[in-house]
Amino acid sequence: MPERTPYIAANWKMHKTVAEAASFVDALLPRIAATQHDVVICAPFTALTAVVERRYGTAIKVAAQNMHEEGSGAYTGEVSAQMLVELDVEAVVLGHSERRQYFNETDEALAAKVPAALAAGLEPILCVGESEEARDADQTEAVLERQLQTDLAAVESSALAEIVIAYEPIWAIGTGRTATPEQAQEACAFIRDVLRERGAAADSVRILYGGSVKPANAAELLSQPDIDGALVGGASLDPDEFAQIVEAAG
Ligand code: PGA
């Protein structure tokens, strides 16, 4: 089985001004100087350049939290993949449940966004995950399968290994209620099986868990065989807590 480099991503959401982003990176860098992991900062658009400027020659990769699928056009308030690439941004979060829930992000839009990101040279971090109702109704696998099949429909099998998938059960995001390591492992293994059926080199794909990851629970989650990293919200806002999660990945 190929070695999968651990991938630890900070999803800042709508937090951090330029000044706050800069001081976070300055505090984080000495803490992660020796890491071999991919350390990814998903910053608001306005703070991307501040993070990019500090990350050259370090383990940090910079990601945006959304993009539009078209290259340009009359889409007031939107940002294209090309605009992100021009800033030296390397990745983009797509389909976060907050965007699905509050901003009407649909699987159909994601089916266009994922290939558009790949075509521009951005690494998509595609988020999938079930609601509490779906889990209670035993629909977790059906939801994950539907999201993956729709969002990845236009991606060639050979390109699937370039995508990072984040499994984020909605009931665990920002709630303090983490999926158990067994629940998270089971869902991530299922996601890998779906990718394998799509013809992907599924053993090369990084699959992350997200949802109330903290220094106290990170090591156990990250030791699961199919969990290759974490997408961290609340605990990523503090450089010390986030550095501890990077260290917990081994
Ligand atoms: P949380 O957020 O760690 O605050 O639960 C995770 C996410 O939404 O990516």
Side-chain angles (χ1 to χ4, degrees), residues 13-227:
K13 310 190 179 186
M14 197 174 73
H15 292 283
K16 297 204 187 289
T17 63
V18 169
E20 289 164 349
S23 61
F24 176 100
V25 177
D26 292 343
L28 180 70
L29 280 175
R31 295 286 308 268
I32 61 159
T35 192
Q36 301 295 314
H37 307 335
D38 283 342
V39 178
V40 185
I41 297 196
C42 312
F45 292 129
T46 45
L48 288 168
T49 295
V51 182
V52 165
E53 281 169 351
R54 283 167 176 77
R55 76 98 215 281
Y56 293 112
T58 76
I60 293 181
K61 275 195 194 188
V62 186
Q65 300 174 10
N66 181 38
M67 53 163 250
H68 195 274
E69 60 270 32
E70 297 292 337
S72 62
Y75 302 106
T76 301
E78 292 290 321
V79 166
S80 73
Q82 289 79 354
M83 293 170 186
L84 298 172
V85 169
E86 187 187 35
L87 298 182
D88 272 356
V89 169
E90 297 153 288
V92 60
V93 178
L94 295 175
H96 190 280
S97 62
E98 287 152 14
R99 295 216 56 86
R100 292 177 189 258
Q101 187 179 348
Y102 306 132
F103 303 101
N104 203 25
E105 178 93 296
T106 61
D107 285 308
E108 290 63 36
L110 290 163
K113 287 187 181 197
V114 177
L118 287 168
L122 288 174
E123 177 174 71
I125 305 168
L126 175 66
C127 303
V128 294
E130 80 287 0
S131 64
E132 188 163 28
E133 299 72 53
R135 177 159 282 268
D136 290 346
D138 228 5
Q139 291 297 305
T140 298
E141 293 191 350
V143 169
L144 295 177
E145 170 131 37
R146 189 180 64 239
Q147 290 176 332
L148 289 166
Q149 296 294 13
T150 312
D151 302 353
L152 300 175
V155 179
E156 304 275 347
S157 340
S158 59
L160 287 170
E162 295 164 36
I163 298 173
V164 174
I165 307 286
Y167 168 60
E168 297 210 311
I170 297 169
W171 47 271
I173 296 177
T175 58
R177 196 178 145 206
T178 321
T180 65
E182 295 71 30
Q183 288 171 322
Q185 161 58 26
E186 199 179 16
C188 290
F190 176 76
I191 289 169
R192 204 176 298 286
D193 286 342
V194 173
L195 295 173
R196 192 171 288 115
E197 276 162 31
R198 271 285 326 265
D203 290 329
S204 304
V205 178
R206 263 94 57 90
I207 302 178
L208 320 181
Y209 167 76
S212 299
V213 176
K214 307 266 180 292
N217 61 23
E220 203 184 356
L221 287 160
L222 292 166
S223 67
Q224 302 299 314
D226 285 292
I227 302 180

